[in-house]
Amino acid sequence: MDIRLVLVGIEGGANLGMIMRLAENFEVDDVVLVYPRELDMDEARRFSAKAVGRLDNLVVYKNLDEALSPCDVRVCTTAKFSLDGDILRSTIPSYDLPSFLERYKKPCIVFGRESSGLTRDELSKCDFVSTIPSSSEYSALNLANSVSIYLYEIYKSKRKRDLVNLAEREELEQAVSIFGDIASMALGDETKIMRARTAMRHVLFRSSPSKPEVRILTHVLRRVKRRIEGSSTKQP
Amino acid sequence: MDIRLVLVGIEGGANLGMIMRLAENFEVDDVVLVYPRELDMDEARRFSAKAVGRLDNLVVYKNLDEALSPCDVRVCTTAKFSLDGDILRSTIPSYDLPSFLERYKKPCIVFGRESSGLTRDELSKCDFVSTIPSSSEYSALNLANSVSIYLYEIYKSKRKRDLVNLAEREELEQAVSIFGDIASMALGDETKIMRARTAMRHVLFRSSPSKPEVRILTHVLRRVKRRIEGSSTKQP
């Protein structure tokens, strides 16, 4: 899936810069503008950070139809949605978007102006419309923040990168087992030993610990066990 | 769950402003600063938009411990995570955070400096650490955009607000049924009629349409049906 981000009538240099950076953060190559306002490009450069190079290669389209032409599905975004008769503002929530995009090769995601969003004519050019769930008191997010949420949703669905080096079941079992040995040395009562063992099992398995975390815990438990064994042989 | 957002050493007025707006968008009342740099407050006001009032009531703490004291769980955020031995940077991904927060009443979510994030000393004050999945080429998001993603994840888990006025099963069945009637008038072959009916059923049920969408479709189908019935009685 190769997304095109279409920014219609963007007004803020800071937003443009931040969106360039987001495109880099979430690996979106294709960002295009449609009739942008006059932008503060110094501000754009400042907010684009390491993605500043993208500002030199911006593609600008004269109208929305041209910008949408290569896409096999076009999704408009809006902060104003309707639960009633306004079909144009019937939306799906941002978190459902990735599942609806799965079957398409080149989705266009269209964002409107900071001040007024997309016009009804622009909304009517999309195949469907999406919105971000937010407070009914103040629902309109800053443009770059909206973009960040959509790109994040799509990125995480494309590629749930291993952010965690999760411990294997055997590693957790081993930690529980050694903790059980220690418990049985420290406690007399069989019921209490079982409870302690179970508590440790629950805590470890529920916390989805990483390999390094379990390794250091197991290491400590093993040392403690040896220490207790040593001291108990010394005191016969 | 009543979240406290803790911003450590924030450097940018635009970011502070955008975060105030995000707090309003995602209904987070408690935002505090810890040793902020000298900030461009004009820029902060501009980017806070309708949440500008929040800038007058900002709480600033002298140190992180004080800021964290009311919280029953403290989560630090980082763009630099470790899959190996660096326990301090063993992270859980942003999308798993809400499930880990469920049992707490007052979670603190801590964000570091735009330039350098949180120090190791600051990271060590947290109960665990989280990161946003992003490109390995350029993983560091702008501060406000990171905040937007975390607040969004927590908000959507707290309250999956009905953004869609989903059609009931009976409404979809009715549309399928009327379409079937039309198909049987338009097509002679029973197999083709069944296929058309099935295709319509699949499309409608897969697209999770809203009530207004199904109502207008059903209305049109009903009109078409009557029209065909009328014309067929006229031509005996």
Side-chain angles (χ1 to χ4, degrees):
Chain A
M1 191 166 63
D2 172 29
I3 281 166
R4 164 171 285 192
L5 207 62
V6 181
L7 306 172
V8 177
I10 187 167
E11 296 157 353
N15 278 330
L16 181 64
M18 281 188 280
I19 291 169
M20 294 299 113
R21 179 171 174 177
L22 285 165
E24 205 74 14
N25 293 147
F26 293 122
E27 298 173 358
V28 172
D29 288 330
D30 192 4
V31 183
V32 305
L33 310 186
V34 181
Y35 28 80
R37 301 290 171 84
E38 203 164 300
L39 293 162
D40 180 341
M41 292 307 285
D42 283 338
E43 201 179 61
R45 267 183 284 276
R46 180 157 69 94
F47 281 88
S48 61
K50 290 183 195 162
V52 66
R54 284 182 173 245
L55 289 169
D56 300 328
N57 303 305
L58 273 175
V59 178
V60 180
Y61 284 94
K62 264 173 285 172
N63 65 63
L64 184 53
D65 289 317
E66 273 181 46
L68 296 178
S69 67
C71 291
D72 55 354
V73 65
R74 298 102 193 252
V75 185
C76 282
T77 58
T78 182
K80 278 189 274 176
F81 62 95
S82 162
L83 295 180
D84 306 320
D86 191 350
I87 299 277
L88 259 188
R89 295 192 184 277
S90 257
T91 59
I92 59 147
S94 46
Y95 47 80
D96 283 344
L97 183 59
S99 71
F100 283 107
L101 294 185
E102 258 166 28
R103 70 195 67 201
Y104 298 102
K105 286 191 187 114
K106 183 75 184 172
C108 275
I109 320 283
V110 187
F111 291 86
R113 297 150 194 84
E114 286 91 332
S115 53
S116 57
L118 293 165
T119 64
R120 293 185 68 82
D121 181 55
E122 287 157 359
L123 284 172
S124 73
K125 295 183 192 298
C126 278
D127 299 317
F128 58 92
V129 181
S130 177
T131 197
I132 295 169
S134 58
S135 171
S136 53
E137 302 292 313
Y138 187 13
S139 65
L141 271 73
N142 161 276
L143 174 61
N145 289 325
S146 303
V147 171
S148 76
I149 286 166
Y150 277 102
L151 295 192
Y152 164 76
E153 281 285 10
I154 293 163
Y155 184 87
K156 79 176 177 183
S157 77
K158 273 203 300 186
R159 174 184 158 192
K160 288 216 170 185
R161 178 157 56 102
D162 249 349
L163 295 173
V164 188
N165 185 4
L166 284 176
E168 305 287 334
R169 181 172 181 90
E170 305 89 77
E171 293 170 292
L172 298 178
E173 288 287 5
Q174 193 175 41
V176 172
S177 161
I178 302 171
F179 181 77
D181 295 344
I182 296 172
S184 72
M185 294 178 207
L187 308 166
D189 187 82
E190 197 60 39
T191 314
K192 280 189 185 157
I193 295 168
M194 274 304 295
R195 282 181 57 206
R197 209 185 153 91
T198 304
M200 186 54 149
R201 170 179 298 278
H202 287 187
V203 165
L204 269 184
F205 277 82
R206 220 162 45 211
S207 69
S208 35
S210 67
K211 275 181 195 295
E213 284 168 348
V214 173
R215 272 180 206 152
I216 183 75
L217 289 178
T218 308
H219 179 69
V220 170
L221 292 173
R222 203 171 263 142
R223 293 294 275 272
V224 168
K225 183 181 165 187
R226 249 180 259 154
R227 188 72 159 269
I228 302 177
E229 286 170 342
S231 67
S232 64
T233 52
K234 268 175 220 155
Q235 309 168 326
Chain B
M1 191 167 60
D2 171 30
I3 282 166
R4 163 171 286 191
L5 207 63
V6 181
L7 306 172
V8 177
I10 187 166
E11 295 158 353
N15 278 331
L16 180 63
M18 282 188 280
I19 292 169
M20 294 298 113
R21 179 171 175 177
L22 285 164
E24 204 75 14
N25 293 148
F26 293 123
E27 298 173 357
V28 172
D29 288 331
D30 191 4
V31 182
V32 304
L33 310 186
V34 181
Y35 29 80
R37 300 290 171 84
E38 205 164 298
L39 293 161
D40 180 340
M41 291 308 285
D42 284 336
E43 202 179 60
R45 268 183 283 275
R46 180 156 69 93
F47 280 89
S48 61
K50 290 183 197 164
V52 65
R54 285 183 173 244
L55 289 169
D56 301 328
N57 303 305
L58 273 175
V59 177
V60 179
Y61 284 94
K62 263 172 287 172
N63 66 63
L64 184 53
D65 288 317
E66 274 180 47
L68 296 178
S69 68
C71 291
D72 54 353
V73 65
R74 299 101 193 254
V75 184
C76 281
T77 58
T78 182
K80 278 190 274 176
F81 63 95
S82 163
L83 295 179
D84 307 321
D86 190 351
I87 298 277
L88 259 189
R89 295 192 184 278
S90 257
T91 59
I92 60 147
S94 46
Y95 46 81
D96 283 344
L97 183 59
S99 69
F100 284 106
L101 294 186
E102 259 167 28
R103 71 194 68 199
Y104 298 102
K105 286 191 187 115
K106 183 75 185 172
C108 274
I109 320 284
V110 186
F111 291 86
R113 297 151 194 83
E114 286 90 333
S115 55
S116 57
L118 294 164
T119 64
R120 293 184 69 81
D121 182 54
E122 287 156 0
L123 284 172
S124 72
K125 295 184 192 297
C126 279
D127 299 318
F128 59 93
V129 181
S130 177
T131 197
I132 294 170
S134 58
S135 172
S136 54
E137 301 292 312
Y138 187 13
S139 65
L141 271 73
N142 160 276
L143 173 62
N145 288 325
S146 303
V147 171
S148 75
I149 286 166
Y150 278 102
L151 295 192
Y152 164 76
E153 281 285 11
I154 292 163
Y155 184 86
K156 79 176 177 183
S157 77
K158 274 202 299 185
R159 174 182 158 194
K160 288 217 170 184
R161 180 157 55 101
D162 250 348
L163 294 174
V164 187
N165 184 4
L166 284 177
E168 305 288 333
R169 182 171 182 91
E170 305 89 77
E171 293 171 291
L172 298 178
E173 288 287 6
Q174 193 175 40
V176 172
S177 161
I178 302 172
F179 181 78
D181 295 344
I182 297 171
S184 72
M185 293 178 206
L187 308 167
D189 187 82
E190 196 59 41
T191 315
K192 279 189 186 157
I193 295 168
M194 273 306 293
R195 283 181 57 207
R197 208 185 153 90
T198 304
M200 186 54 148
R201 171 180 297 279
H202 287 187
V203 165
L204 269 185
F205 278 81
R206 220 162 45 213
S207 68
S208 35
S210 67
K211 275 182 196 294
E213 284 167 347
V214 174
R215 270 179 208 154
I216 182 76
L217 288 179
T218 307
H219 179 69
V220 170
L221 292 174
R222 201 171 264 142
R223 293 294 275 271
V224 167
K225 184 181 165 187
R226 248 180 259 155
R227 187 74 159 268
I228 302 177
E229 286 171 341
S231 67
S232 63
T233 52
K234 267 175 220 156
Q235 310 167 326

CSV table of all heavy atoms in Angstrom, one decimal, chain B residues 4 50 78 81 84 90 97 99 132 135 139 146 162 165 167 173 184 190 208 213 225-226:
chain,number,residue,atom,x,y,z
B,4,ARG,N,-2.6,12.7,34.1
B,4,ARG,CA,-1.7,13.9,34.2
B,4,ARG,C,-0.7,13.9,33.2
B,4,ARG,O,0.1,12.9,33.1
B,4,ARG,CB,-1.1,14.0,35.6
B,4,ARG,CG,0.1,15.0,35.6
B,4,ARG,CD,0.6,15.3,37.0
B,4,ARG,NE,-0.3,16.2,37.7
B,4,ARG,CZ,-0.1,16.8,38.9
B,4,ARG,NH1,1.1,16.6,39.4
B,4,ARG,NH2,-0.9,17.6,39.4
B,50,LYS,N,-8.4,27.8,20.4
B,50,LYS,CA,-9.5,28.0,21.3
B,50,LYS,C,-9.2,27.6,22.8
B,50,LYS,O,-9.9,27.8,23.7
B,50,LYS,CB,-10.8,27.3,20.9
B,50,LYS,CG,-11.4,27.9,19.7
B,50,LYS,CD,-12.7,27.2,19.3
B,50,LYS,CE,-13.1,27.5,17.9
B,50,LYS,NZ,-14.1,26.6,17.4
B,78,THR,N,9.6,7.7,25.1
B,78,THR,CA,10.9,7.9,24.5
B,78,THR,C,10.9,7.5,23.0
B,78,THR,O,10.1,6.6,22.7
B,78,THR,CB,12.0,7.1,25.2
B,78,THR,OG1,13.3,7.4,24.6
B,78,THR,CG2,11.8,5.6,25.2
B,81,PHE,N,14.5,3.5,22.0
B,81,PHE,CA,14.2,2.3,22.8
B,81,PHE,C,15.3,1.2,22.5
B,81,PHE,O,16.1,1.3,21.6
B,81,PHE,CB,12.8,1.7,22.4
B,81,PHE,CG,12.7,1.3,21.0
B,81,PHE,CD1,12.9,0.0,20.7
B,81,PHE,CD2,12.5,2.2,20.0
B,81,PHE,CE1,12.8,-0.5,19.4
B,81,PHE,CE2,12.4,1.8,18.6
B,81,PHE,CZ,12.6,0.4,18.3
B,84,ASP,N,17.8,-4.7,23.6
B,84,ASP,CA,18.8,-5.5,24.3
B,84,ASP,C,18.9,-5.3,25.8
B,84,ASP,O,17.9,-5.1,26.4
B,84,ASP,CB,20.1,-5.3,23.6
B,84,ASP,CG,20.0,-5.6,22.1
B,84,ASP,OD1,19.3,-6.5,21.7
B,84,ASP,OD2,20.6,-4.8,21.3
B,90,SER,N,13.7,-0.4,27.8
B,90,SER,CA,12.8,-1.5,27.4
B,90,SER,C,11.4,-0.9,27.4
B,90,SER,O,10.9,-0.4,28.4
B,90,SER,CB,12.8,-2.6,28.5
B,90,SER,OG,13.6,-3.7,28.0
B,97,LEU,N,-0.4,0.8,25.5
B,97,LEU,CA,-0.4,1.6,26.7
B,97,LEU,C,-1.8,1.6,27.4
B,97,LEU,O,-1.9,1.3,28.6
B,97,LEU,CB,0.1,3.0,26.5
B,97,LEU,CG,0.1,3.8,27.8
B,97,LEU,CD1,1.1,3.2,28.8
B,97,LEU,CD2,0.6,5.3,27.5
B,99,SER,N,-4.2,-0.5,27.6
B,99,SER,CA,-4.6,-1.7,28.4
B,99,SER,C,-3.8,-1.8,29.7
B,99,SER,O,-4.2,-2.3,30.7
B,99,SER,CB,-4.3,-3.0,27.5
B,99,SER,OG,-3.0,-3.2,27.3
B,132,ILE,N,6.5,5.2,20.4
B,132,ILE,CA,5.6,5.1,19.3
B,132,ILE,C,6.3,4.4,18.1
B,132,ILE,O,7.4,4.8,17.8
B,132,ILE,CB,5.2,6.6,18.8
B,132,ILE,CG1,4.4,7.2,19.9
B,132,ILE,CG2,4.4,6.5,17.5
B,132,ILE,CD1,4.1,8.7,19.7
B,135,SER,N,9.5,5.0,11.8
B,135,SER,CA,10.6,4.6,10.9
B,135,SER,C,11.9,4.5,11.6
B,135,SER,O,12.3,5.3,12.4
B,135,SER,CB,10.7,5.7,9.8
B,135,SER,OG,11.8,5.4,9.0
B,139,SER,N,13.1,8.2,13.6
B,139,SER,CA,12.0,7.7,14.5
B,139,SER,C,11.5,8.9,15.4
B,139,SER,O,10.4,8.7,15.9
B,139,SER,CB,12.6,6.6,15.4
B,139,SER,OG,13.6,7.1,16.2
B,146,SER,N,3.7,13.6,19.1
B,146,SER,CA,3.8,12.4,20.0
B,146,SER,C,2.7,12.5,21.0
B,146,SER,O,2.0,11.5,21.3
B,146,SER,CB,5.1,12.4,20.8
B,146,SER,OG,6.2,12.4,19.9
B,162,ASP,N,-19.7,7.0,19.6
B,162,ASP,CA,-20.4,6.6,18.4
B,162,ASP,C,-20.3,7.7,17.3
B,162,ASP,O,-21.0,8.7,17.3
B,162,ASP,CB,-21.9,6.5,18.6
B,162,ASP,CG,-22.4,5.0,18.6
B,162,ASP,OD1,-21.6,4.2,18.1
B,162,ASP,OD2,-23.5,4.7,19.0
B,165,ASN,N,-23.7,6.3,13.0
B,165,ASN,CA,-25.0,6.0,13.4
B,165,ASN,C,-25.3,4.7,12.6
B,165,ASN,O,-26.0,4.8,11.5
B,165,ASN,CB,-25.9,7.1,13.0
B,165,ASN,CG,-27.4,7.0,13.4
B,165,ASN,OD1,-27.7,6.0,14.0
B,165,ASN,ND2,-28.2,7.9,13.0
B,167,ALA,N,-26.5,1.4,10.7
B,167,ALA,CA,-27.8,0.8,10.3
B,167,ALA,C,-28.0,-0.5,11.1
B,167,ALA,O,-27.0,-1.2,11.3
B,167,ALA,CB,-27.8,0.6,8.8
B,173,GLU,N,-31.3,-5.8,5.7
B,173,GLU,CA,-32.1,-6.9,5.2
B,173,GLU,C,-33.1,-6.3,4.2
B,173,GLU,O,-33.4,-6.9,3.1
B,173,GLU,CB,-32.7,-7.7,6.3
B,173,GLU,CG,-31.8,-8.6,7.1
B,173,GLU,CD,-31.3,-9.8,6.3
B,173,GLU,OE1,-31.6,-9.9,5.1
B,173,GLU,OE2,-30.6,-10.6,6.9
B,184,SER,N,-35.1,-9.6,-9.6
B,184,SER,CA,-36.0,-10.6,-10.2
B,184,SER,C,-36.9,-10.1,-11.3
B,184,SER,O,-37.3,-10.8,-12.2
B,184,SER,CB,-36.8,-11.3,-9.2
B,184,SER,OG,-37.8,-10.5,-8.7
B,190,GLU,N,-32.9,-17.5,-12.6
B,190,GLU,CA,-33.0,-17.6,-11.1
B,190,GLU,C,-31.6,-17.5,-10.5
B,190,GLU,O,-31.4,-16.9,-9.4
B,190,GLU,CB,-33.7,-18.9,-10.7
B,190,GLU,CG,-34.2,-18.9,-9.2
B,190,GLU,CD,-35.2,-17.7,-8.9
B,190,GLU,OE1,-36.1,-17.4,-9.8
B,190,GLU,OE2,-35.1,-17.1,-7.8
B,208,SER,N,-20.3,-1.6,6.5
B,208,SER,CA,-20.9,-1.0,7.7
B,208,SER,C,-21.5,0.4,7.5
B,208,SER,O,-21.0,1.4,8.0
B,208,SER,CB,-19.9,-1.0,8.9
B,208,SER,OG,-18.6,-0.7,8.5
B,213,GLU,N,-27.4,6.5,5.2
B,213,GLU,CA,-26.9,5.9,3.9
B,213,GLU,C,-27.9,4.8,3.5
B,213,GLU,O,-28.3,4.8,2.3
B,213,GLU,CB,-25.5,5.4,4.0
B,213,GLU,CG,-24.4,6.4,4.1
B,213,GLU,CD,-23.1,5.9,4.5
B,213,GLU,OE1,-23.0,4.8,5.0
B,213,GLU,OE2,-22.1,6.7,4.3
B,225,LYS,N,-38.4,0.1,-7.8
B,225,LYS,CA,-39.3,-1.1,-7.9
B,225,LYS,C,-40.7,-0.7,-8.3
B,225,LYS,O,-41.2,-1.3,-9.3
B,225,LYS,CB,-39.3,-1.7,-6.5
B,225,LYS,CG,-40.1,-3.0,-6.4
B,225,LYS,CD,-40.1,-3.6,-5.0
B,225,LYS,CE,-41.2,-4.6,-4.9
B,225,LYS,NZ,-41.4,-5.0,-3.5
B,226,ARG,N,-41.2,0.4,-7.7
B,226,ARG,CA,-42.5,0.8,-8.1
B,226,ARG,C,-42.6,1.2,-9.5
B,226,ARG,O,-43.6,0.9,-10.2
B,226,ARG,CB,-42.9,2.0,-7.2
B,226,ARG,CG,-44.1,1.6,-6.2
B,226,ARG,CD,-44.4,2.8,-5.3
B,226,ARG,NE,-43.9,2.7,-4.0
B,226,ARG,CZ,-43.6,3.7,-3.2
B,226,ARG,NH1,-43.8,5.0,-3.6
B,226,ARG,NH2,-43.1,3.5,-2.0
